[in-house]
Amino acid sequence: LFSFKMASPMSPMSFIERASSQQGSMLSSVPDAHVVTNDVGDIMRCLVNHDKPLKRETQFFVREFESRKGLGCKQRLNESANTAKTLAHKNIVECTMMSQHLGEVKEQVDAVQKLCSALTESEKVFEEQRIKVREPRKEVMAQNLENLETYRKNECKKVDEQAEHDLTMFMEQLVAEKFPKGN
């Protein structure tokens, strides 16, 4: 809030008293202009000055607000404190229980990690051995396929030659029977 420095408010009676005391009688003399303006200003300030009532009302509202807010805050703070105590106790118990089992869990995790590493290594070794065994097998398979193809061609050639020979013999017999040499 803004605060203004004002002259102390003056009642209309004090104005009259001051004016009469300065000149003797109010009716007999006219007060100086600056005295009149000061007095009129004091009267106006008194009538227009709302600082004290505003200050009192503001203080009332602030007190009321703080009292209402304070109750809710106190309740929430108490609830938070109780919750914190409960959680602290619960967490302490849980942490204590966890710390007892943490060593066991770490040992189990280390064992599983070793097993996984061993499995990975054995897979690598197995794959390398499989590749080593496959390479010679590929060469043997290629050689076997080549030999098989050669064998098949040879057998087909033998069968063709035998069939040609049998056919030739059959034709010769047939011709000999149908057309004897002496007739």
Side-chain angles (χ1 to χ4, degrees), residues 158-172:
K158 284 181 187 176
V159 168
D160 286 345
E161 288 174 356
Q162 182 66 35
E164 188 177 331
H165 175 63
D166 289 344
L167 188 58
T168 305
M169 291 297 280
F170 175 74
M171 289 300 275
E172 285 177 0

Side-chain angles (χ1 to χ4, degrees), residues 67-94:
S67 68
R68 287 184 184 171
K69 183 180 176 188
L71 290 177
C73 287
K74 285 179 186 176
Q75 288 173 349
R76 279 186 254 134
L77 282 174
N78 287 335
E79 289 172 4
S80 297
N82 291 336
T83 304
K85 285 178 186 176
T86 304
L87 286 176
H89 179 69
K90 183 178 177 184
N91 288 344
I92 288 171
V93 170
E94 287 178 358

Side-chain angles (χ1 to χ4, degrees), residues 40-79:
V40 170
D42 288 341
I43 293 170
M44 290 302 291
R45 272 189 226 112
C46 183
L47 293 174
V48 178
N49 186 5
H50 300 292
D51 283 347
K52 287 184 181 179
L54 284 176
K55 188 175 182 180
R56 283 193 304 268
E57 282 202 43
T58 305
Q59 288 173 348
F60 171 76
F61 283 124
V62 167
R63 274 194 308 263
E64 191 69 24
F65 177 73
E66 286 177 350
S67 68
R68 287 184 184 171
K69 183 180 176 188
L71 290 177
C73 287
K74 285 179 186 176
Q75 288 173 349
R76 279 186 254 134
L77 282 174
N78 287 335
E79 289 172 4

Side-chain angles (χ1 to χ4, degrees), residues 10-142:
M10 199 177 208
S11 68
M13 285 306 287
S14 64
F15 168 72
I16 295 170
E17 290 170 0
R18 194 169 54 147
S20 64
S21 67
Q22 287 176 357
Q23 297 294 328
S25 169
M26 191 173 161
L27 298 172
S28 64
S29 68
V30 177
D32 292 339
H34 74 288
V35 174
V36 172
T37 56
N38 283 343
D39 290 337
V40 170
D42 288 341
I43 293 170
M44 290 302 291
R45 272 189 226 112
C46 183
L47 293 174
V48 178
N49 186 5
H50 300 292
D51 283 347
K52 287 184 181 179
L54 284 176
K55 188 175 182 180
R56 283 193 304 268
E57 282 202 43
T58 305
Q59 288 173 348
F60 171 76
F61 283 124
V62 167
R63 274 194 308 263
E64 191 69 24
F65 177 73
E66 286 177 350
S67 68
R68 287 184 184 171
K69 183 180 176 188
L71 290 177
C73 287
K74 285 179 186 176
Q75 288 173 349
R76 279 186 254 134
L77 282 174
N78 287 335
E79 289 172 4
S80 297
N82 291 336
T83 304
K85 285 178 186 176
T86 304
L87 286 176
H89 179 69
K90 183 178 177 184
N91 288 344
I92 288 171
V93 170
E94 287 178 358
C95 289
T96 305
M97 290 172 55
M98 280 192 252
S99 67
Q100 292 171 353
H101 299 289
L102 194 59
E104 295 173 15
V105 170
K106 185 179 181 328
E107 289 174 5
Q108 291 175 357
V109 167
D110 289 342
V112 168
Q113 189 176 11
K114 286 179 183 177
L115 288 173
C116 289
S117 297
L119 182 63
T120 303
E121 284 298 316
S122 66
E123 284 181 357
K124 286 179 185 176
V125 169
F126 176 76
E127 192 63 31
E128 289 172 359
Q129 288 176 350
R130 195 178 77 159
I131 289 172
K132 286 179 183 176
V133 169
R134 273 193 174 179
E135 289 302 319
R137 280 187 183 172
K138 282 184 181 178
E139 293 173 10
V140 169
M141 288 293 282

